[in-house]
Amino acid sequence: MEDPLKPKPVPLAAETVLWFEFLLDPHKITQHLQCKNPEPSAVELIMQFISMTPDTAMASTVVTPGSDLQNITGASVGANATTPAASAALSVPPMTRQAEIGLQLTRKQLALKILELKVATWLRWDLDVLEKSLPVVMQLGLLRDLCTISYGRAVSIPFASDFDFRISATGNERAARFALTIYHRTLLRLQLIKDSALKAVRPLMFQTVDQLQQFLETPTQPSIEYLEQLCLSAGSKAFHVFHYDSFVTLQCDNLSTAQNYDMMHLITPQELRAQLQFELAHYYLHTKQYLLARESAAACNSNLQSLPAGATLYFCHIRSAELEGLLQACGISAQQKTLLERFHQSLLNNYADIVSILRLDNRAREIPLVSRRNVELDIEGAISTGLLKETRQLLLQVAALNVVRTVFECGNIFGSVEYFEKYRDLDCMPPIVEAMQDAVTHCSQREQAALKHFIIDCVLYQQQQQQQEQSRQLLLTAKEMGIFSKEELVDLDEQLVQASLPVLSSSLATLSDWICHSKLTRVDVAALERQLITCTNANSVRILLVKLCGTAPGKPLWAINPSWDVPQPLKALIMAMQVSFLQDFSYVLLGKARELATRGNYIDAVSMLSVLKSETQRQELVGSAQIMCKLITWEILHIQITQCLEEWHQKPLDLPALGVRCKQCLGALQAGDSMIPRMDILESCAIMLLNLTDFPPLLYLDKRSQLMELPLVFAATFTEMEKMKGPKKACRDAWELMLSMFLNVPKRANAAGAGSGASSSLQTFLQRVRHQSVFGLAISMLGKMHNILKDDPNHDLSCEYMQLWPTSITNPNSYSLRSVSETLQWLLSEALSHYPQTISWLKMKGDLELAIGNNESAMRCYVNALVTGTDYCTMPLQRNVADDYVIRKMIRCAANLGCHMQATVLCQFLEEIDYGIVFKNLSEKSSNFTDAMDAYYSCIWDTTLLEFIVNLHAKRGEHSRKLEAISMMGTLELNANNNEEIKRESAMVRKSRFLRALAKQYLL
């Protein structure tokens, strides 16, 4: 009876060609290579032939008795040795008959060597192709076999210093000359990749590493001399390269092993010189011999140019792009240099012609703006340190050209304001004007529009800086450019006139009599009001209010936008003021600041309130202005707290300083001042101190409102936790307060909104929690409430701090389990959005989702926890991350989802595999398309499980799946005789593979 556990070979596809078929049918190699996309490819064939050929580069050849041997006449290495020289290598004498000895090779070895050389000849001995596709060790093997066949005797790589260049009777002078040329070319080419070649070899191949290191350490000067001598003698002595038919494959019915060397190609001296000079130039560049590299590159180019057009090249494989790159590297390219090349050349030549290059680049925009900016900073530093003997005029011109170039970029890296501020002491406008006039004729419509906006900004900026002459000069230049229409020029003139209005005097804030003399139409007034509503700058608000006050408004200016909402204490103070500029200015800035803060624009909001605070600190203002200043300070603190909570992980503000200001704000409440902050600000300060874990200032505050209770009881809880010694219970204030928010409210009371208020206040508080410990404390309380109210040990939740809370609740039916579950689910999502790699929260969220019945969401949380605990599957899975409790819940989720094979594989993660669950899941039929049984065979490392799967497939008649499972059992790493370290490594690899599969399914 056939053993079902015996591994069977997988049948090959019909079109697969095996290497030994080419030995049996010599004509098949030609037919195979002529295919469009042969499989295996030519390079793969060479690799297979070399790997099947025993290494012959040894001092002696060991031959087993009775083997099929083929005598190839050869010579012993080192017999009658002479010192090789370049000139001696070019003319190789044949060996005398007395010196010849036979090299014994089996016909199989010889046939494989001939086949590999035949395929390499099919590739025309393109060393670029061979170097990219063949490992370095196999390149040396191919080179050794080429020299062996060409010389007709055993040749070891590298050549010894006393190498005998004579050829045996079965060799050929033309072939030996070609092989010697390939040898020296390979030796020079491998010097360019010397470091990477040694790293690519596997460390266990000591003999290979030694041979490769010897080859790479061979002196290169003889190779250089040989190739240069070959270039000089190319015109007088012909050079031949192998033809595809030069190598004759062995026939089973013919014992002849002679090669057809008469079929070799004769190439022109120009083709030979071009290829050799090309590789010499590359070597000279690598060794930093730039003069020799330039000469070789020029000679290569001239020889290529002298070749007839359309001539077939058998030896030269130079690509035009590579040649052009070589010529450019040597500085002799005939192509015109690009601006970027000229730019870098200028940097090397002490910034020569840098202004003209940047001016041309403003038209072409080829040089990256970052590089131009770096050059500007480098010139500035060189001038300041005295390394560059130039005036600041060069720096001014470069900066002006960079500013104009910035206009055409999508998103300015630096603006014109920096330029005008930096060079205000110099005449900075003429270089800008000159750069714009030079670039405008080469601009598209979109670029002209960008240049137009830039000119408008420059004109208005100069006007704001009280530089009317320069702004007028720039406006005249804009007219000459012809990119502005007449209407735009008129509008720009009017803006200059409006911008030149006198600056408001300091007494304007106290004016109660508004002078109204206006000729503006209603449309103009509406445009000003729209500008006032949309502007985000306090100075713009000041100017617009002055303009609007001259229109004799029919209603107060602070009432223009009903959306402007001012906090009640400040609103009462403002409304109590007499009608004046300060009243409108204060109301508008407060309303706009609150609007900006709501939209998340905290910087502009604080800027507006800071301007208003400065306005209220004028000496001529008395009375309520000081009170308003204090209130505005608290409003600024409130906005900064909100900004800090929104950008918590970015840490944009000085947190210790912010904590001190929060303490001062709460101190006003504790001191019993007549003017205290509003309750929202006090709550924000308390929550901020809680997030900063600064608890003592919160312990002595009075609980004046429901908003302050939660921060205070949380602070008290943390304080008691620090004082506790041993397993004591924390204070019950926080527990009872949280528990009271989940009471079941009768329907009538619920209709009045009594129950929703407590829940909304809790959620409002938790939304502003940021510290991990505060999150953990709140999660533990809600988790404990859930466990008590659920009263189901199979769905108990566990996390840190859970042991601090009571184990029972009086009258549990009075509380809403659904509200607790929903709040806890939301809080876990909120906490994980700030700390997404907290494994305990991920597992607790999975437990909660499983308790609710969301199996897929629970599985997603568990997989996320496991992936996070293994640092994204790069570290072994530890028991503290995936204990049996979590694994069993994952098994339950997978089974509920119909993924029984996943549940089966997860059973291996248990400390002791529960085969009852395994066999039950394997017997079930998967109802999920993502849970194909054979898709997870590579993730199983338990052989008992694989044996059961094989038996199960055999019962079901699933032959192909049975064979696949058997092949998995036959892998070496699952051998039962392996030591424990190999078994652990095998299990770890398969665990990681399975986790990646789960992550791909549930997390992506």
Side-chain angles (χ1 to χ4, degrees), residues 676-946:
I676 62 172
R678 55 192 179 91
M679 199 55 63
D680 291 342
I681 299 178
L682 292 173
E683 183 195 13
S684 297
C685 292
I687 293 175
M688 190 65 205
L689 290 176
L690 187 66
N691 287 321
L692 295 176
T693 63
D694 192 356
F695 307 125
L698 302 177
L699 301 178
Y700 307 104
L701 297 178
D702 296 331
K703 302 176 183 179
R704 294 196 175 187
S705 71
Q706 187 179 2
L707 298 177
M708 295 290 291
E709 284 183 339
L710 285 168
L712 301 186
V713 295
F714 268 76
T717 303
F718 277 110
T719 304
E720 288 196 12
M721 287 168 56
E722 293 175 359
K723 296 179 181 178
M724 280 193 307
K725 295 180 181 180
K728 294 182 180 180
K729 300 296 181 182
C731 69
R732 299 181 61 91
D733 292 344
W735 171 264
E736 293 174 354
L737 180 61
M738 289 276 284
L739 189 62
S740 64
M741 297 182 178
F742 298 101
L743 281 169
N744 282 322
V745 182
K747 293 184 178 180
R748 293 182 180 178
N750 192 23
S756 60
S759 179
S760 63
S761 63
L762 174 63
Q763 189 166 356
T764 303
F765 164 70
L766 294 176
Q767 279 177 342
R768 290 189 283 178
V769 169
R770 292 295 179 269
H771 197 274
Q772 195 168 8
S773 299
V774 183
F775 272 126
L777 192 66
I779 289 172
S780 66
M781 275 195 285
L782 292 173
K784 191 69 172 182
M785 293 177 193
H786 179 275
N787 291 346
I788 297 173
L789 297 178
K790 184 80 172 177
D791 195 18
D792 185 357
N794 293 327
H795 293 101
D796 273 355
L797 311 179
S798 62
C799 71
E800 192 180 9
Y801 305 133
M802 193 81 82
Q803 74 280 358
L804 299 176
W805 311 115
T807 57
S808 62
I809 295 176
T810 305
N811 194 11
N813 294 329
S814 301
Y815 301 95
S816 173
L817 174 62
R818 178 178 177 180
S819 299
V820 173
S821 299
E822 291 176 354
T823 305
L824 179 58
Q825 189 177 21
W826 169 83
L827 180 58
L828 284 169
S829 301
E830 186 76 11
L832 287 171
S833 67
H834 294 285
Y835 302 96
Q837 294 187 335
T838 308
I839 299 175
S840 61
W841 295 350
L842 288 170
K843 293 194 288 188
M844 186 176 185
K845 193 170 189 297
D847 295 343
L848 180 61
E849 296 288 354
L850 181 60
I852 296 173
N854 299 332
N855 293 287
E856 187 171 357
S857 299
M859 196 70 173
R860 184 180 298 112
C861 295
Y862 290 136
V863 172
N864 195 357
L866 267 59
V867 169
T868 303
T870 58
D871 196 10
Y872 300 96
C873 303
T874 59
M875 295 171 55
L877 185 62
Q878 303 297 331
R879 297 300 300 175
N880 60 346
V881 177
D883 53 5
D884 284 3
Y885 179 78
V886 173
I887 296 300
R888 288 187 181 277
K889 289 201 171 186
M890 292 180 68
I891 293 171
R892 191 191 312 171
C893 289
N896 293 342
L897 292 171
C899 300
H900 298 287
M901 192 60 193
Q902 289 181 7
T904 301
V905 177
L906 282 169
C907 288
Q908 299 176 110
F909 287 69
L910 295 171
E911 192 167 359
E912 292 184 4
I913 300 179
D914 191 341
Y915 288 105
I917 301 177
V918 170
F919 300 151
K920 178 182 178 182
N921 280 295
L922 285 176
S923 303
E924 297 287 344
K925 193 71 174 177
S926 294
S927 60
N928 196 316
F929 71 93
T930 61
D931 191 60
M933 177 176 283
D934 50 355
Y936 295 105
Y937 287 165
S938 60
C939 304
I940 298 177
W941 63 89
D942 184 70
T943 53
T944 306
L945 180 55
L946 283 172

Side-chain angles (χ1 to χ4, degrees), residues 596-664:
L596 290 171
T598 305
R599 297 206 303 255
N601 191 352
Y602 303 109
I603 296 176
D604 288 340
V606 172
S607 175
M608 284 192 170
L609 292 181
S610 300
V611 171
L612 181 58
K613 180 180 176 182
S614 301
E615 194 77 23
T616 58
Q617 291 175 341
R618 292 173 179 268
Q619 295 181 357
E620 62 269 19
L621 297 178
V622 293
S624 61
Q626 282 71 23
I627 300 176
M628 181 182 290
C629 180
K630 184 181 292 188
L631 293 176
I632 293 172
T633 303
W634 289 333
E635 293 295 333
I636 292 175
L637 176 61
H638 181 51
I639 293 176
Q640 289 180 338
I641 291 174
T642 306
Q643 178 186 2
C644 184
L645 295 178
E646 289 295 327
E647 303 171 358
W648 180 258
H649 295 287
Q650 301 175 15
K651 299 292 188 297
L653 299 175
D654 186 1
L655 294 181
L658 192 63
V660 171
R661 293 168 59 194
C662 290
K663 294 177 188 177
Q664 293 173 354

